[in-house]
Amino acid sequence: MVVKKIAILFSGNGTNLQNLIEKLHNKVFDDTKIEVALTISNKKDVYGIKRSQKFGIEPIVIENKAFNSREEFDKELVGVIKKQNIDLVVLAGFMRILSSVFTQNVKAINIHPSLLPLFKGANAIEESFNSDEKFGGATVHYVSEELDGGEIIIQKSFEKTLDMNIDEFEKHIHKIEYDIFPKAVIAVLTK
Ligand code: GRF
């Protein structure tokens, strides 16, 4: 059996972080054991920290505001990640634009709450809800230098109905995220 270590990076509520830990941590898939070896938040006092602690995983907090540039922050992140021999970095609501210092040095995947390439960026849920598109959805993709532009690993859609309000729309998206994100991690680590 091989052991693959992942790091989960987050900035906020951490529901995807919790779902990933519940479904993957110390579980075996196709002779590959996945270990959540590291969790990192770029913000202190966010609820995701408590969620991680509940599973006995003490997050490392690296506040981006303590650094003078994007590159210096990314260098610190990469240093911490490399020290732990991480096989895959998983961005779960990590609200940072990453420089090439990060993207060229670690293998990472990200979850995005739209059917990419539609609605890149930070307002994807509102923009896709307000658009004329008949479907909403979520995408897991590799992280590249282009924001939300890396190769797509899995994406799943649902039909947007006229009676749906934005809260219901958002709930559908999160449900899809909790389904496809762990699957994408397993797919990447066992291929
Ligand atoms: C998710 O909708 C994800 O797609 C986006 O940020 C949100 C994170 O939510 N990138 P949570 O912190 O996992 O609850």
Side-chain angles (χ1 to χ4, degrees):
M1 186 165 62
V2 286
V3 177
K4 298 274 172 130
K5 290 182 171 192
I6 66 171
I8 304 176
L9 276 51
F10 63 99
S11 303
N13 190 8
T15 61
N16 278 285
L17 162 104
Q18 177 168 341
N19 179 60
L20 289 166
I21 297 174
E22 280 172 354
K23 291 191 177 151
L24 303 177
H25 186 45
N26 287 337
K27 301 216 160 50
V28 179
F29 305 90
D30 264 359
D31 228 30
T32 297
K33 182 174 173 179
I34 298 179
E35 186 191 325
V36 180
L38 179 64
T39 60
I40 301 177
S41 172
N42 67 314
K43 293 211 154 86
K44 58 176 187 180
D45 304 326
V46 291
Y47 196 64
I49 292 177
K50 289 214 166 59
R51 292 186 198 269
S52 184
Q53 287 168 336
K54 265 191 226 157
F55 292 90
I57 306 166
E58 185 60 41
I60 295 182
V61 177
I62 307 174
E63 286 187 287
N64 53 281
K65 64 178 187 198
F67 294 82
N68 288 324
S69 69
R70 205 173 277 290
E71 287 74 16
E72 279 172 53
F73 170 70
D74 287 359
K75 200 174 160 198
E76 176 70 20
L77 269 186
V78 170
V80 170
I81 290 164
K82 292 269 183 203
K83 234 191 243 164
Q84 302 253 5
N85 293 318
I86 297 295
D87 296 288
L88 180 68
V89 174
V90 179
L91 306 183
F94 189 61
M95 306 309 277
R96 292 285 305 162
I97 293 174
L98 294 156
S99 72
S100 58
V101 173
F102 184 94
T103 56
Q104 288 182 3
N105 285 294
V106 296
K107 184 179 180 183
I109 67 174
N110 179 48
I111 184 95
H112 186 76
S114 75
L115 293 170
L116 289 173
L118 295 174
F119 312 116
K120 294 177 179 177
N123 301 313
I125 296 179
E126 296 89 309
E127 286 174 15
S128 54
F129 179 75
N130 292 324
S131 76
D132 291 334
E133 295 295 324
K134 302 226 169 2
F135 294 90
T139 305
V140 184
H141 63 93
Y142 284 104
V143 174
S144 71
E145 251 143 87
E146 190 198 335
L147 180 67
D148 300 324
E151 187 194 334
I152 291 172
I153 302 162
I154 303 185
Q155 96 187 144
K156 197 171 164 186
S157 65
F158 64 93
E159 201 178 345
K160 189 165 83 181
T161 54
L162 284 174
D163 60 343
M164 206 178 258
N165 64 37
I166 189 153
D167 291 339
E168 290 161 336
F169 183 75
E170 189 166 348
K171 269 196 194 125
H172 268 283
I173 289 176
H174 291 314
K175 204 170 150 213
I176 285 178
E177 291 183 337
Y178 306 148
D179 175 33
I180 65 173
F181 209 5
K183 285 181 181 158
V185 174
I186 295 166
V188 169
L189 290 178
T190 59
K191 81 174 179 195

